[in-house]
Amino acid sequence: DTAVSQTPKYLVTQMGNDKSIKCEQNLGHDTMYWYKQDSKKFLKIMFSYNNKELIINETVPNRFSPKSPDKAHLNLHINSLELGDSAVYFCASSLTPEFAGEAFFGQGTRLTVV
Amino acid sequence: TQLLEQSPQFLSIQEGENLTVYCNSSSVFSSLQWYRQEPGEGPVLLVTVVTGGEVKKLKRLTFQFGDARKDSSLHITAAQPGDTGLYLCATGDSWGKLQFGAGTQVVVTP
């Protein structure tokens, strides 16, 4: 059983399009995250949700809109995609925010904007 | 400037050799994590260190937290090709923000 699963694994799209990435965790965790890994492999937090409530928004452009329908799901919608949005996006979860350091990550979604 | 500075950025060694990766900061941390990321996968937690001076072992991997809780090291003994990966140190705050170092890419060739 996959603990944190995200879809799709690969996404190739044109500039200006809107796309969504979905994430689900079956660990019973309260907290979920979106991270972005750039071409230099640097991982940076974008958003964090705790029990469906947004608790971290790291100055991400408002073209990025996360949504958490319940605490097991956290989706990421991106409007008007730009070339610079190309990266690998990781969903993660932890028991609570205090356990952010002990996070479980999904396999990632490689987004390529052309 | 990054909160966590990792060195070296890249390490290529032969199977059977030893290696050490460093994670340094000017800040004091309540805990620090090490993750390993393999190609096409997400990071996987290896260990959490909490106490200054703490040493933890995971098979051939030895993790040390500095006495002042500002730095940490990861030592791999008799490296194997399966140890190849991106090693990341990270630290989280109580609000849920996990910050990563830039990573050390380790390549172990047979």
Side-chain angles (χ1 to χ4, degrees):
Chain A
D1 270 352
T2 305
V4 181
S5 59
Q6 53 183 109
T7 54
K9 189 165 169 65
Y10 299 98
L11 193 48
V12 181
T13 189
Q14 290 189 323
M15 271 173 44
N17 284 350
D18 303 339
K19 289 293 177 188
S20 292
I21 308 172
K22 296 189 173 188
C23 179
E24 175 181 6
Q25 54 97 1
N26 63 5
L27 297 166
H29 287 171
D30 284 350
T31 313
M32 295 185 73
Y33 311 85
W34 279 111
Y35 285 86
K36 179 180 180 179
Q37 189 169 46
D38 62 23
S39 56
K40 295 184 178 178
K41 306 284 190 186
F42 186 63
L43 257 174
K44 192 172 188 320
I45 189 166
M46 299 172 69
F47 301 102
S48 173
Y49 271 74
N50 188 51
N51 278 320
K52 303 190 297 175
E53 299 288 331
L54 179 68
I55 57 171
I56 293 174
N57 181 343
E58 279 290 294
T59 59
V60 178
N62 56 16
R63 296 182 296 104
F64 290 78
S65 50
K67 278 196 173 51
S68 182
D70 56 62
K71 74 175 195 178
H73 295 85
L74 180 62
N75 304 321
L76 183 65
H77 188 76
I78 316 170
N79 289 327
S80 304
L81 278 154
E82 300 177 358
L83 293 176
D85 297 331
S86 295
V88 182
Y89 292 85
F90 286 98
C91 176
S93 73
S94 67
L95 193 63
T96 64
E98 290 80 6
F99 286 89
E102 298 183 355
F104 289 76
F105 283 78
Q107 282 196 311
T109 296
R110 181 174 292 277
L111 171 65
T112 304
V113 183
V114 297
Chain B
T1 51
Q2 290 187 31
L3 180 64
L4 296 168
E5 298 284 345
Q6 283 191 244
S7 61
Q9 286 186 329
F10 184 80
L11 204 49
S12 179
I13 60 169
Q14 299 270 21
E15 183 176 1
E17 293 180 340
N18 301 334
L19 69 100
T20 303
V21 174
Y22 300 94
C23 178
N24 295 296
S25 179
S26 56
S27 300
V28 177
F29 303 115
S30 57
S31 68
L32 194 135
Q33 285 76 32
W34 284 95
Y35 285 80
R36 179 170 64 209
Q37 184 180 12
E38 297 182 15
E41 302 289 331
V44 175
L45 179 67
L46 296 174
V47 78
T48 295
V49 286
V50 177
T51 307
E54 181 177 8
V55 176
K56 281 192 172 178
K57 294 197 177 201
L58 188 66
K59 297 182 183 177
R60 292 173 295 96
L61 277 60
T62 302
F63 303 86
Q64 186 156 6
F65 202 13
D67 290 341
R69 290 184 287 127
K70 292 183 178 183
D71 54 84
S72 181
S73 64
L74 155 60
H75 183 80
I76 303 180
T77 304
Q80 297 178 1
D83 296 324
T84 292
L86 179 69
Y87 288 83
L88 298 156
C89 64
T91 189
D93 63 23
S94 58
W95 296 100
K97 183 174 175 178
L98 184 62
Q99 290 186 268
F100 285 87
T104 295
Q105 181 64 53
V106 171
V107 175
V108 183
T109 51

